[in-house]
Amino acid sequence: MAMSHPPDHPPSPTPAPSGETGARLAPSRTVLANGVVITARETRKTPAVTINLAMNAGTVCDPVGGAGATFLLSRLVDRGTVRHTADELAEALETRGISLSIGVNRHQLSIVCTCLAEDFEAVFAVLGDILMEPSVPEHELVIRKGEVLTALAQDEDSPYVKALLELMVLLYGSDHPYGRPAKGTVASIEGLARAQLLELHRAFFVPSALSAVVVGDVAPAQVVDVAARVLGGWRATKPTALPLASPQPAQARRRLVVPMMNKSQADVAYGFTTIMRSDPSYYACSLMNNILGQYAMGGRLGDSIRERQGMAYYVSSGFDASLIEGPLMIRAGVAPGNVDRAIASIDEELTRMCRDGVTERELTESRQYMIGAMPRALETNAGIANFLQNAEFFGLGLDYDVRIREYLAAVSLDDVHAAARRLLDPGRAAIVIAGPYHETA
């Protein structure tokens, strides 16, 4: 719930409880009167600060017929604002040795940078200006459209990207936000006008959709004070929630070939829709996926297909539960003559895991690997900021860095076996092969 303090008297940050929970990060979280969420974690290792601003306005917000609009906007937000030109913004950052990382995924557009602690206030003001009032100059729009069109041409020539895009269409359908290409198409990008991008910004870039995470050599009270002065006066109407339908469960196996006969390697994308991030079986599914295609040299898939059979240049799996049922994807790069054998081997490994489950050793080692990766992920200010931003987006709590260990420790062999049986039915898989491959009867 937003607090009712005026912007010039910001609310005091509320720290996570630490003694009874054993929280190691123990960040503070404050909600400004206009709905902006501020999460701060003070560290004193270096005199630097990472700022991570995430707006809940990802590619799912693209207008009908305007695929790629949010991606294009992400390339333009720092190219001029109502108050400052692109050159002025660049000078304000570059003179301080700062480069921005601006990215967009299905649900969020993010702006991330690291600056010296002494520059924090000035830099945060620049980022606030970029986020709140981009002007989208026409001449910059022309340049950025050209860059996106070049990227689309490169994607069209990449078997790896083509297999991924076509798999998402098979899993979700071409009209679903998850099935639409994030960068759009040549036609949709060419058709987008400045007014459409400004309307997209007006509709979805609002205070209540912003999460600001600050980690580094700055006190949480100062973070809240600066954020309140920069963002506290921002007012905008909360957008109507976008409908986001769950995908239809697959009833049969589907297979698509994308011929790219001028390539030397075929890329296979093999996948399923799975579960929401809020599903109680999330941690069992995560461990199952780690054992299947991540741990050590690529899990069971890597051991079988790459190491023992020597059929793949690479093979791995990825699990992306989200606000709706996200995908589990197996990716493999193989010689054209090995495509059918590689897919048969994937089928075999999935069938074996569904039938027999995993071993105690596999579960123990995978759990230790995932828990052991936590300290490494939290070694830097940027890593901590990314972790806290993810926890905020999914509502995981301020002590999630402690509780995730408990969640993983609670997963049993039966839990992992149940996750495999639930998600990994080869008879309902979607498979895309992109590259120099001919379908055989």
Side-chain angles (χ1 to χ4, degrees):
M1 180 181 294
M3 299 183 184
S4 58
H5 301 262
D8 55 341
H9 294 288
S12 299
T14 302
S18 56
E20 64 274 17
T21 64
R24 296 178 183 177
L25 290 180
S28 68
R29 182 181 186 273
T30 305
V31 184
L32 301 183
N34 60 0
V36 174
V37 176
I38 311 295
T39 305
R41 170 65 160 88
E42 185 175 6
T43 64
R44 296 292 186 182
K45 293 181 179 180
T46 60
V49 177
T50 292
I51 304 169
N52 184 317
L53 305 181
M55 181 66 66
N56 292 336
T59 59
V60 297
C61 298
D62 285 351
V64 176
T70 308
F71 181 80
L72 181 58
L73 181 60
S74 75
R75 305 295 295 270
L76 283 157
V77 290
D78 65 335
R79 305 312 300 168
T81 69
V82 172
R83 293 178 176 81
H84 298 99
T85 66
D87 288 342
E88 290 170 341
L89 294 172
E91 182 178 2
L93 297 171
E94 290 173 5
T95 55
R96 295 179 169 92
I98 296 167
S99 61
L100 294 184
S101 174
I102 302 176
V104 63
N105 59 30
R106 297 185 194 107
H107 294 287
Q108 291 187 315
L109 183 148
S110 62
I111 302 177
V112 181
C113 75
T114 296
C115 64
L116 291 175
E118 64 190 47
D119 294 328
F120 165 66
E121 184 169 350
V123 172
F124 195 94
V126 172
L127 300 192
D129 187 34
I130 288 171
L131 201 60
M132 291 187 289
E133 295 186 308
S135 58
V136 189
E138 283 284 3
H139 69 283
E140 292 285 356
L141 176 58
V142 172
I143 294 171
R144 302 305 162 183
K145 274 190 175 185
E147 292 175 351
V148 175
L149 291 174
T150 298
L152 288 174
Q154 293 171 336
D155 289 349
E156 191 68 20
D157 193 49
S158 167
Y160 184 91
V161 176
K162 289 290 290 182
L164 170 64
L165 294 176
E166 294 297 340
L167 179 64
M168 293 300 285
V169 173
L170 280 185
L171 292 175
Y172 293 94
S174 59
D175 294 330
H176 192 282
Y178 279 31
R180 294 194 302 249
K183 296 177 187 174
T185 64
V186 171
S188 67
I189 292 298
E190 289 180 339
L192 286 169
R194 175 175 181 267
Q196 290 173 284
L197 299 183
L198 289 174
E199 174 56 25
L200 175 66
H201 181 273
R202 184 204 63 77
F204 294 103
F205 283 59
V206 301
S208 59
L210 175 61
S211 168
V213 175
V214 177
V215 179
D217 190 10
V218 57
Q222 182 186 354
V223 172
V224 174
D225 179 66
V226 170
R229 280 188 276 117
V230 173
L231 304 170
W234 186 17
R235 296 289 183 268
T237 304
K238 185 176 181 179
T240 303
L242 288 172
L244 194 58
S246 292
Q248 291 295 318
Q251 301 301 319
R253 188 174 171 102
R254 293 147 294 166
R255 180 170 163 132
L256 174 69
V257 175
V258 181
M260 302 178 74
M261 305 311 292
N262 62 327
K263 302 299 179 182
S264 60
Q265 175 180 307
D267 284 80
V268 176
Y270 181 125
F272 310 87
T273 58
T274 61
I275 60 171
M276 299 170 65
R277 179 61 178 79
S278 58
D279 193 294
S281 68
Y282 171 78
Y283 299 95
C285 293
S286 294
L287 285 162
M288 178 269 293
N289 173 67
N290 189 266
I291 294 166
L292 175 66
Q294 292 187 334
Y295 178 67
M297 297 297 291
R300 286 186 176 186
L301 293 171
D303 179 63
S304 171
I305 299 171
R306 185 174 184 272
E307 298 301 314
R308 286 191 282 114
Q309 299 183 66
M311 284 195 299
Y313 305 112
Y314 71 88
V315 61
S316 65
S317 64
F319 171 56
D320 187 20
S322 191
L323 298 184
I324 64 168
E325 293 82 353
L328 185 150
M329 294 190 217
I330 298 167
R331 302 301 311 269
V334 300
N338 286 333
V339 167
D340 292 325
R341 288 176 57 215
I343 292 174
S345 292
I346 294 172
D347 290 341
E348 181 181 343
E349 289 301 326
L350 300 189
T351 299
R352 182 166 72 92
M353 186 172 280
C354 290
R355 182 187 65 232
D356 302 332
V358 302
T359 67
E360 186 70 55
R361 178 177 178 178
E362 285 177 317
L363 178 56
T364 298
E365 291 183 351
S366 185
R367 183 190 288 119
Q368 289 173 342
Y369 172 83
M370 293 180 69
I371 292 175
M374 284 280 298
R376 293 191 295 275
L378 303 178
E379 282 179 347
T380 65
N381 290 343
I384 294 171
N386 184 65
F387 179 87
L388 294 176
Q389 198 66 267
N390 184 68
E392 175 64 32
F393 181 71
F394 288 113
L396 303 176
L398 297 177
D399 60 345
Y400 182 60
D401 59 308
V402 171
R403 289 186 294 109
I404 186 174
R405 297 167 170 83
E406 299 169 1
Y407 296 149
L408 291 171
V411 174
S412 69
L413 284 172
D414 288 343
D415 294 332
V416 175
H417 194 184
R421 291 196 303 266
R422 178 181 178 185
L423 301 182
L424 302 182
D425 180 0
R428 297 182 179 180
I431 303 166
V432 177
I433 304 154
Y437 173 81
H438 289 287
E439 187 75 90
T440 56

